[in-house]
Amino acid sequence: MTRKVLLIAAVLMIMAAASLMMVSAQEEEGHPIITTNNEVVGVGTYVAHRAFAEAAGEDPAEAPAEAYILAYTVHANMHVMELAEMEQPAPLAEGFTYEWSLVAPEGSAAALMGDTVQYFMTDVQGRYDLTLVVTDENGNTAEATKMIYATTYVGYGGQNPTDMQCGYCHEDMVAAWLETGHSDMLIRGLDGTLSDHYGEGCISCHTTGYGPGENGGFDDLQAEYGWEFPVDEEGHAVLEEGGYAAFAEAYPEVAELANIQCESCHGPGYLHVMEATRREPMISRALNYGTCAQCHAEEPYHVYPLQWEKSGHGDIVSRAFTYPTDEDHAECVRCHSGAGFIDFAAGEDVEDQRVDYQPITCAVCHDPHDATNPNQLRVVDTAVLPDGTELTGLGANATCMSCHNARRDANSIVSGALEGGRFSTPHYSTGAELMHATGGYSWGMELPSSGHNDCIGCHMAETPGRDEDGNDLPGRHEIGEHTFSIVNEEGVANVAACQTCHTGLTTIDFESARDYDGDGAYESVTAEVAGLQELLQAALEANGVVVLGHYPYLELPEDAGEDIFGAAWNLKFSQSGGSAIHNFRYTVALLQLSIDKLGGTYGDSLPMR
């Protein structure tokens, strides 16, 4: 085994030395440029980044400025043939000056290019240190440095996936990977079981290291050893059982880079195998979506990353990802840091969950190494809500409900406040509780429910298609599927998701059957709920509550009792999570009950039953 590693290492050292003598341009004719967002890339490929910053607070010593170097994804669907001609995006943060610098390995001619997106080509093996210095309008500065490694590919160490060299140290991970569709993608392609229209154009994503640069990737070995994709005399692909085995036997060196191996996602592994230390592992563990988008972002078949870009999860500079992700917010990272969520899903204790800045990207919800669960989701079937309600049989909805809940228990908050503890409001997303008619403060009463119980069915319903002329219908890739949105910025709603149950419905905000807020009009469900919220707020204010437009949202009188605490909770609870849609009857009943408890009125309307 050791002899095999040394032999491979010697071959790769020769390949690495050869790469020092050439810079292979990524702008190959007919092939759009991509960036994997990995921290380890093949020699001869581009990396791209952009800047983000946060200004210092009033006391810079307590709240210093922050600088972020964010990987920028260039994927095939962008059709970028030359980065110099790429349309530069707007800055992520205004009011700052940005200074970039690059320290490249000895012998490199790499230089920074671009504007809001800074990019360079790796041209020799080694470490590239990219540094960003930001200065806010008050002269406060912050600095960030990111290390990028360029190297060559290692491959299996044998002809077949079971020979995986990475398994020498990572046996469990490789065993799990072998159960995924990535591990045998080229095998199924050449054997004809993947698709009857499989062709040579497919192998760039179904092999490892295929792309620009002389870095020992599949295409380099293919050219060196002369393997050609099997076609008949008429140029049609020859796909048949045993096709991969015949290829691997005839071209064992090429087969070492076949299928979608570890290095496809973690980056080429030569430096990791030969020179890694605990301090510098020289392998990528990045969770950036560009790792998946390098193959999964090209219409018409691969669209999920394109949809994700339009989602709230894809808002990479959202305060939800930058503020509550540090050692002072350990209770928050399970949902506000992708790395923290992975640790939470794995059962790690709160104090052991990572607090890194990390948006919710593909590999946060989906485990690339484990095919045990449907769609390789990390969490399925079961979720436990903050009030102790255990939900089972949820399927993929459990992933959503793990985070989209109140994060606090109404009964515990109210009882604690009555005993002199701190009163706090529910978190900003209460969808899980609403759909299961729980989470509100009900004074022990059983309330009616009309809840939906399927996050996926509505928020991930099929996105609009194309018309008969091939034109995109309104909302295509902006609502549904991995956008997770039901309504886009232009107000286009994915009504088709509702019509599966509500035949003939033309709007998601449908008309209420009764006048629940007592204003004499039959209005939409959201308007009825808004009317009740206004009445409840007025009743709270009449009882000495001050409603704020910012945290902590409510100031309660010192003599507040159960009714004020419960009603205050229910006001905020109903203002989160799309309550009118998720569970109209339960929301109306909570609001009406709260108004009653405070001595308010909602006109002559009858209560929700």
PDB file of all heavy atoms in Angstrom, residues 282-308:
ATOM      1  N   MET A 282      -4.223  21.533   3.587  1.00  0.00           N
ATOM      2  CA  MET A 282      -4.087  21.652   2.133  1.00  0.00           C
ATOM      3  C   MET A 282      -5.141  20.841   1.386  1.00  0.00           C
ATOM      4  O   MET A 282      -4.868  20.248   0.343  1.00  0.00           O
ATOM      5  CB  MET A 282      -2.677  21.248   1.678  1.00  0.00           C
ATOM      6  CG  MET A 282      -1.568  22.074   2.315  1.00  0.00           C
ATOM      7  SD  MET A 282       0.054  21.681   1.649  1.00  0.00           S
ATOM      8  CE  MET A 282       1.122  22.515   2.823  1.00  0.00           C
ATOM      9  N   ILE A 283      -6.323  20.809   1.924  1.00  0.00           N
ATOM     10  CA  ILE A 283      -7.471  20.206   1.266  1.00  0.00           C
ATOM     11  C   ILE A 283      -8.676  21.060   1.632  1.00  0.00           C
ATOM     12  O   ILE A 283      -8.705  21.659   2.713  1.00  0.00           O
ATOM     13  CB  ILE A 283      -7.674  18.731   1.687  1.00  0.00           C
ATOM     14  CG1 ILE A 283      -8.518  17.967   0.667  1.00  0.00           C
ATOM     15  CG2 ILE A 283      -8.242  18.632   3.078  1.00  0.00           C
ATOM     16  CD1 ILE A 283      -7.803  17.685  -0.628  1.00  0.00           C
ATOM     17  N   SER A 284      -9.625  21.153   0.748  1.00  0.00           N
ATOM     18  CA  SER A 284     -10.747  22.062   0.980  1.00  0.00           C
ATOM     19  C   SER A 284     -11.886  21.361   1.698  1.00  0.00           C
ATOM     20  O   SER A 284     -12.273  20.254   1.349  1.00  0.00           O
ATOM     21  CB  SER A 284     -11.256  22.617  -0.354  1.00  0.00           C
ATOM     22  OG  SER A 284     -12.371  23.460  -0.137  1.00  0.00           O
ATOM     23  N   ARG A 285     -12.424  22.045   2.713  1.00  0.00           N
ATOM     24  CA  ARG A 285     -13.655  21.600   3.370  1.00  0.00           C
ATOM     25  C   ARG A 285     -14.723  22.682   3.230  1.00  0.00           C
ATOM     26  O   ARG A 285     -15.642  22.769   4.026  1.00  0.00           O
ATOM     27  CB  ARG A 285     -13.385  21.282   4.844  1.00  0.00           C
ATOM     28  CG  ARG A 285     -12.403  20.141   5.058  1.00  0.00           C
ATOM     29  CD  ARG A 285     -12.275  19.818   6.523  1.00  0.00           C
ATOM     30  NE  ARG A 285     -13.545  19.333   7.073  1.00  0.00           N
ATOM     31  CZ  ARG A 285     -13.766  19.182   8.379  1.00  0.00           C
ATOM     32  NH1 ARG A 285     -12.825  19.482   9.253  1.00  0.00           N
ATOM     33  NH2 ARG A 285     -14.935  18.730   8.811  1.00  0.00           N
ATOM     34  N   ALA A 286     -14.566  23.518   2.221  1.00  0.00           N
ATOM     35  CA  ALA A 286     -15.484  24.632   2.024  1.00  0.00           C
ATOM     36  C   ALA A 286     -16.890  24.132   1.741  1.00  0.00           C
ATOM     37  O   ALA A 286     -17.091  23.083   1.118  1.00  0.00           O
ATOM     38  CB  ALA A 286     -15.001  25.511   0.880  1.00  0.00           C
ATOM     39  N   LEU A 287     -17.871  24.902   2.209  1.00  0.00           N
ATOM     40  CA  LEU A 287     -19.280  24.592   1.973  1.00  0.00           C
ATOM     41  C   LEU A 287     -19.891  25.544   0.961  1.00  0.00           C
ATOM     42  O   LEU A 287     -21.108  25.647   0.857  1.00  0.00           O
ATOM     43  CB  LEU A 287     -20.054  24.664   3.296  1.00  0.00           C
ATOM     44  CG  LEU A 287     -19.690  23.618   4.344  1.00  0.00           C
ATOM     45  CD1 LEU A 287     -20.324  23.952   5.684  1.00  0.00           C
ATOM     46  CD2 LEU A 287     -20.111  22.224   3.890  1.00  0.00           C
ATOM     47  N   ASN A 288     -19.058  26.258   0.219  1.00  0.00           N
ATOM     48  CA  ASN A 288     -19.572  27.204  -0.762  1.00  0.00           C
ATOM     49  C   ASN A 288     -20.380  26.482  -1.839  1.00  0.00           C
ATOM     50  O   ASN A 288     -20.043  25.369  -2.254  1.00  0.00           O
ATOM     51  CB  ASN A 288     -18.412  27.953  -1.433  1.00  0.00           C
ATOM     52  CG  ASN A 288     -17.669  28.826  -0.455  1.00  0.00           C
ATOM     53  OD1 ASN A 288     -18.255  29.638   0.246  1.00  0.00           O
ATOM     54  ND2 ASN A 288     -16.357  28.646  -0.370  1.00  0.00           N
ATOM     55  N   TYR A 289     -21.428  27.144  -2.308  1.00  0.00           N
ATOM     56  CA  TYR A 289     -22.295  26.483  -3.277  1.00  0.00           C
ATOM     57  C   TYR A 289     -21.611  26.290  -4.624  1.00  0.00           C
ATOM     58  O   TYR A 289     -22.040  25.452  -5.428  1.00  0.00           O
ATOM     59  CB  TYR A 289     -23.601  27.261  -3.439  1.00  0.00           C
ATOM     60  CG  TYR A 289     -23.612  28.371  -4.459  1.00  0.00           C
ATOM     61  CD1 TYR A 289     -24.266  28.223  -5.676  1.00  0.00           C
ATOM     62  CD2 TYR A 289     -22.989  29.588  -4.206  1.00  0.00           C
ATOM     63  CE1 TYR A 289     -24.304  29.235  -6.607  1.00  0.00           C
ATOM     64  CE2 TYR A 289     -23.019  30.604  -5.126  1.00  0.00           C
ATOM     65  CZ  TYR A 289     -23.670  30.429  -6.329  1.00  0.00           C
ATOM     66  OH  TYR A 289     -23.689  31.443  -7.246  1.00  0.00           O
ATOM     67  N   GLY A 290     -20.536  27.026  -4.886  1.00  0.00           N
ATOM     68  CA  GLY A 290     -19.833  26.862  -6.142  1.00  0.00           C
ATOM     69  C   GLY A 290     -19.245  25.477  -6.314  1.00  0.00           C
ATOM     70  O   GLY A 290     -19.027  25.022  -7.445  1.00  0.00           O
ATOM     71  N   THR A 291     -18.990  24.789  -5.207  1.00  0.00           N
ATOM     72  CA  THR A 291     -18.487  23.427  -5.292  1.00  0.00           C
ATOM     73  C   THR A 291     -19.488  22.540  -6.023  1.00  0.00           C
ATOM     74  O   THR A 291     -19.118  21.722  -6.862  1.00  0.00           O
ATOM     75  CB  THR A 291     -18.212  22.879  -3.882  1.00  0.00           C
ATOM     76  OG1 THR A 291     -17.303  23.746  -3.208  1.00  0.00           O
ATOM     77  CG2 THR A 291     -17.645  21.479  -3.943  1.00  0.00           C
ATOM     78  N   CYS A 292     -20.767  22.710  -5.715  1.00  0.00           N
ATOM     79  CA  CYS A 292     -21.811  21.945  -6.399  1.00  0.00           C
ATOM     80  C   CYS A 292     -22.151  22.577  -7.749  1.00  0.00           C
ATOM     81  O   CYS A 292     -22.427  21.871  -8.722  1.00  0.00           O
ATOM     82  CB  CYS A 292     -23.058  21.876  -5.535  1.00  0.00           C
ATOM     83  SG  CYS A 292     -22.795  21.150  -3.898  1.00  0.00           S
ATOM     84  N   ALA A 293     -22.115  23.920  -7.791  1.00  0.00           N
ATOM     85  CA  ALA A 293     -22.526  24.623  -9.003  1.00  0.00           C
ATOM     86  C   ALA A 293     -21.577  24.381 -10.168  1.00  0.00           C
ATOM     87  O   ALA A 293     -21.954  24.599 -11.320  1.00  0.00           O
ATOM     88  CB  ALA A 293     -22.629  26.125  -8.727  1.00  0.00           C
ATOM     89  N   GLN A 294     -20.364  23.923  -9.904  1.00  0.00           N
ATOM     90  CA  GLN A 294     -19.446  23.665 -11.012  1.00  0.00           C
ATOM     91  C   GLN A 294     -20.041  22.654 -11.984  1.00  0.00           C
ATOM     92  O   GLN A 294     -19.697  22.654 -13.167  1.00  0.00           O
ATOM     93  CB  GLN A 294     -18.085  23.182 -10.491  1.00  0.00           C
ATOM     94  CG  GLN A 294     -18.128  21.868  -9.751  1.00  0.00           C
ATOM     95  CD  GLN A 294     -16.753  21.402  -9.289  1.00  0.00           C
ATOM     96  OE1 GLN A 294     -15.803  21.362 -10.077  1.00  0.00           O
ATOM     97  NE2 GLN A 294     -16.628  21.063  -8.024  1.00  0.00           N
ATOM     98  N   CYS A 295     -20.940  21.802 -11.491  1.00  0.00           N
ATOM     99  CA  CYS A 295     -21.605  20.839 -12.371  1.00  0.00           C
ATOM    100  C   CYS A 295     -23.123  20.986 -12.388  1.00  0.00           C
ATOM    101  O   CYS A 295     -23.761  20.643 -13.371  1.00  0.00           O
ATOM    102  CB  CYS A 295     -21.255  19.410 -11.953  1.00  0.00           C
ATOM    103  SG  CYS A 295     -19.571  18.914 -12.382  1.00  0.00           S
ATOM    104  N   HIS A 296     -23.690  21.475 -11.302  1.00  0.00           N
ATOM    105  CA  HIS A 296     -25.145  21.469 -11.150  1.00  0.00           C
ATOM    106  C   HIS A 296     -25.783  22.814 -11.464  1.00  0.00           C
ATOM    107  O   HIS A 296     -26.846  23.123 -10.926  1.00  0.00           O
ATOM    108  CB  HIS A 296     -25.517  21.030  -9.733  1.00  0.00           C
ATOM    109  CG  HIS A 296     -25.224  19.596  -9.438  1.00  0.00           C
ATOM    110  ND1 HIS A 296     -26.075  18.575  -9.780  1.00  0.00           N
ATOM    111  CD2 HIS A 296     -24.154  19.009  -8.844  1.00  0.00           C
ATOM    112  CE1 HIS A 296     -25.551  17.417  -9.402  1.00  0.00           C
ATOM    113  NE2 HIS A 296     -24.388  17.643  -8.829  1.00  0.00           N
ATOM    114  N   ALA A 297     -25.145  23.627 -12.266  1.00  0.00           N
ATOM    115  CA  ALA A 297     -25.710  24.945 -12.595  1.00  0.00           C
ATOM    116  C   ALA A 297     -25.611  25.202 -14.087  1.00  0.00           C
ATOM    117  O   ALA A 297     -24.802  26.000 -14.552  1.00  0.00           O
ATOM    118  CB  ALA A 297     -24.993  26.046 -11.818  1.00  0.00           C
ATOM    119  N   GLU A 298     -26.432  24.503 -14.834  1.00  0.00           N
ATOM    120  CA  GLU A 298     -26.470  24.713 -16.279  1.00  0.00           C
ATOM    121  C   GLU A 298     -27.831  24.256 -16.792  1.00  0.00           C
ATOM    122  O   GLU A 298     -28.161  23.076 -16.717  1.00  0.00           O
ATOM    123  CB  GLU A 298     -25.338  23.948 -16.978  1.00  0.00           C
ATOM    124  CG  GLU A 298     -25.211  24.302 -18.447  1.00  0.00           C
ATOM    125  CD  GLU A 298     -23.969  23.699 -19.079  1.00  0.00           C
ATOM    126  OE1 GLU A 298     -23.350  22.800 -18.472  1.00  0.00           O
ATOM    127  OE2 GLU A 298     -23.606  24.137 -20.175  1.00  0.00           O
ATOM    128  N   GLU A 299     -28.591  25.217 -17.252  1.00  0.00           N
ATOM    129  CA  GLU A 299     -29.916  24.882 -17.775  1.00  0.00           C
ATOM    130  C   GLU A 299     -29.787  24.026 -19.036  1.00  0.00           C
ATOM    131  O   GLU A 299     -28.759  24.082 -19.726  1.00  0.00           O
ATOM    132  CB  GLU A 299     -30.676  26.170 -18.100  1.00  0.00           C
ATOM    133  CG  GLU A 299     -31.044  26.980 -16.863  1.00  0.00           C
ATOM    134  CD  GLU A 299     -31.976  28.128 -17.195  1.00  0.00           C
ATOM    135  OE1 GLU A 299     -31.470  29.191 -17.605  1.00  0.00           O
ATOM    136  OE2 GLU A 299     -33.193  27.946 -17.053  1.00  0.00           O
ATOM    137  N   PRO A 300     -30.804  23.221 -19.353  1.00  0.00           N
ATOM    138  CA  PRO A 300     -32.124  23.189 -18.728  1.00  0.00           C
ATOM    139  C   PRO A 300     -32.282  22.166 -17.613  1.00  0.00           C
ATOM    140  O   PRO A 300     -33.297  22.161 -16.924  1.00  0.00           O
ATOM    141  CB  PRO A 300     -33.029  22.815 -19.889  1.00  0.00           C
ATOM    142  CG  PRO A 300     -32.183  21.901 -20.717  1.00  0.00           C
ATOM    143  CD  PRO A 300     -30.788  22.452 -20.621  1.00  0.00           C
ATOM    144  N   TYR A 301     -31.259  21.301 -17.418  1.00  0.00           N
ATOM    145  CA  TYR A 301     -31.449  20.182 -16.501  1.00  0.00           C
ATOM    146  C   TYR A 301     -30.924  20.450 -15.095  1.00  0.00           C
ATOM    147  O   TYR A 301     -31.415  19.871 -14.131  1.00  0.00           O
ATOM    148  CB  TYR A 301     -30.780  18.925 -17.059  1.00  0.00           C
ATOM    149  CG  TYR A 301     -31.266  18.562 -18.439  1.00  0.00           C
ATOM    150  CD1 TYR A 301     -30.419  18.643 -19.538  1.00  0.00           C
ATOM    151  CD2 TYR A 301     -32.585  18.151 -18.652  1.00  0.00           C
ATOM    152  CE1 TYR A 301     -30.871  18.321 -20.819  1.00  0.00           C
ATOM    153  CE2 TYR A 301     -33.045  17.831 -19.916  1.00  0.00           C
ATOM    154  CZ  TYR A 301     -32.183  17.913 -20.999  1.00  0.00           C
ATOM    155  OH  TYR A 301     -32.643  17.609 -22.258  1.00  0.00           O
ATOM    156  N   HIS A 302     -29.931  21.304 -14.988  1.00  0.00           N
ATOM    157  CA  HIS A 302     -29.281  21.521 -13.688  1.00  0.00           C
ATOM    158  C   HIS A 302     -29.522  22.967 -13.269  1.00  0.00           C
ATOM    159  O   HIS A 302     -28.826  23.887 -13.700  1.00  0.00           O
ATOM    160  CB  HIS A 302     -27.785  21.226 -13.796  1.00  0.00           C
ATOM    161  CG  HIS A 302     -27.490  19.835 -14.290  1.00  0.00           C
ATOM    162  ND1 HIS A 302     -27.757  18.718 -13.537  1.00  0.00           N
ATOM    163  CD2 HIS A 302     -26.979  19.392 -15.462  1.00  0.00           C
ATOM    164  CE1 HIS A 302     -27.415  17.648 -14.217  1.00  0.00           C
ATOM    165  NE2 HIS A 302     -26.944  18.017 -15.392  1.00  0.00           N
ATOM    166  N   VAL A 303     -30.511  23.154 -12.389  1.00  0.00           N
ATOM    167  CA  VAL A 303     -30.969  24.519 -12.101  1.00  0.00           C
ATOM    168  C   VAL A 303     -31.012  24.847 -10.614  1.00  0.00           C
ATOM    169  O   VAL A 303     -31.281  25.996 -10.248  1.00  0.00           O
ATOM    170  CB  VAL A 303     -32.375  24.755 -12.695  1.00  0.00           C
ATOM    171  CG1 VAL A 303     -32.346  24.635 -14.210  1.00  0.00           C
ATOM    172  CG2 VAL A 303     -33.393  23.763 -12.115  1.00  0.00           C
ATOM    173  N   TYR A 304     -30.768  23.887  -9.748  1.00  0.00           N
ATOM    174  CA  TYR A 304     -30.959  24.161  -8.325  1.00  0.00           C
ATOM    175  C   TYR A 304     -30.066  25.286  -7.795  1.00  0.00           C
ATOM    176  O   TYR A 304     -30.540  26.140  -7.038  1.00  0.00           O
ATOM    177  CB  TYR A 304     -30.776  22.888  -7.504  1.00  0.00           C
ATOM    178  CG  TYR A 304     -31.847  21.849  -7.751  1.00  0.00           C
ATOM    179  CD1 TYR A 304     -31.616  20.497  -7.522  1.00  0.00           C
ATOM    180  CD2 TYR A 304     -33.114  22.215  -8.229  1.00  0.00           C
ATOM    181  CE1 TYR A 304     -32.605  19.546  -7.743  1.00  0.00           C
ATOM    182  CE2 TYR A 304     -34.103  21.274  -8.464  1.00  0.00           C
ATOM    183  CZ  TYR A 304     -33.840  19.937  -8.222  1.00  0.00           C
ATOM    184  OH  TYR A 304     -34.810  19.005  -8.455  1.00  0.00           O
ATOM    185  N   PRO A 305     -28.780  25.325  -8.131  1.00  0.00           N
ATOM    186  CA  PRO A 305     -27.986  26.468  -7.654  1.00  0.00           C
ATOM    187  C   PRO A 305     -28.490  27.801  -8.199  1.00  0.00           C
ATOM    188  O   PRO A 305     -28.406  28.825  -7.500  1.00  0.00           O
ATOM    189  CB  PRO A 305     -26.573  26.151  -8.168  1.00  0.00           C
ATOM    190  CG  PRO A 305     -26.546  24.670  -8.299  1.00  0.00           C
ATOM    191  CD  PRO A 305     -27.925  24.322  -8.782  1.00  0.00           C
ATOM    192  N   LEU A 306     -29.000  27.807  -9.428  1.00  0.00           N
ATOM    193  CA  LEU A 306     -29.528  29.045 -10.001  1.00  0.00           C
ATOM    194  C   LEU A 306     -30.746  29.510  -9.210  1.00  0.00           C
ATOM    195  O   LEU A 306     -30.942  30.715  -9.007  1.00  0.00           O
ATOM    196  CB  LEU A 306     -29.915  28.822 -11.469  1.00  0.00           C
ATOM    197  CG  LEU A 306     -28.882  28.108 -12.351  1.00  0.00           C
ATOM    198  CD1 LEU A 306     -29.426  27.946 -13.761  1.00  0.00           C
ATOM    199  CD2 LEU A 306     -27.573  28.867 -12.367  1.00  0.00           C
ATOM    200  N   GLN A 307     -31.555  28.573  -8.773  1.00  0.00           N
ATOM    201  CA  GLN A 307     -32.717  28.918  -7.951  1.00  0.00           C
ATOM    202  C   GLN A 307     -32.279  29.364  -6.561  1.00  0.00           C
ATOM    203  O   GLN A 307     -32.800  30.340  -6.013  1.00  0.00           O
ATOM    204  CB  GLN A 307     -33.657  27.715  -7.862  1.00  0.00           C
ATOM    205  CG  GLN A 307     -34.266  27.331  -9.199  1.00  0.00           C
ATOM    206  CD  GLN A 307     -34.994  26.001  -9.143  1.00  0.00           C
ATOM    207  OE1 GLN A 307     -34.894  25.253  -8.158  1.00  0.00           O
ATOM    208  NE2 GLN A 307     -35.720  25.672 -10.198  1.00  0.00           N
ATOM    209  N   TRP A 308     -31.339  28.639  -5.984  1.00  0.00           N
ATOM    210  CA  TRP A 308     -30.841  28.974  -4.643  1.00  0.00           C
ATOM    211  C   TRP A 308     -30.311  30.408  -4.587  1.00  0.00           C
ATOM    212  O   TRP A 308     -30.471  31.093  -3.572  1.00  0.00           O
ATOM    213  CB  TRP A 308     -29.751  27.979  -4.248  1.00  0.00           C
ATOM    214  CG  TRP A 308     -29.050  28.307  -2.965  1.00  0.00           C
ATOM    215  CD1 TRP A 308     -29.406  27.906  -1.707  1.00  0.00           C
ATOM    216  CD2 TRP A 308     -27.871  29.098  -2.813  1.00  0.00           C
ATOM    217  NE1 TRP A 308     -28.517  28.415  -0.785  1.00  0.00           N
ATOM    218  CE2 TRP A 308     -27.569  29.146  -1.433  1.00  0.00           C
ATOM    219  CE3 TRP A 308     -27.045  29.776  -3.701  1.00  0.00           C
ATOM    220  CZ2 TRP A 308     -26.478  29.845  -0.936  1.00  0.00           C
ATOM    221  CZ3 TRP A 308     -25.950  30.485  -3.205  1.00  0.00           C
ATOM    222  CH2 TRP A 308     -25.669  30.506  -1.838  1.00  0.00           C
TER     223      TRP A 308
END
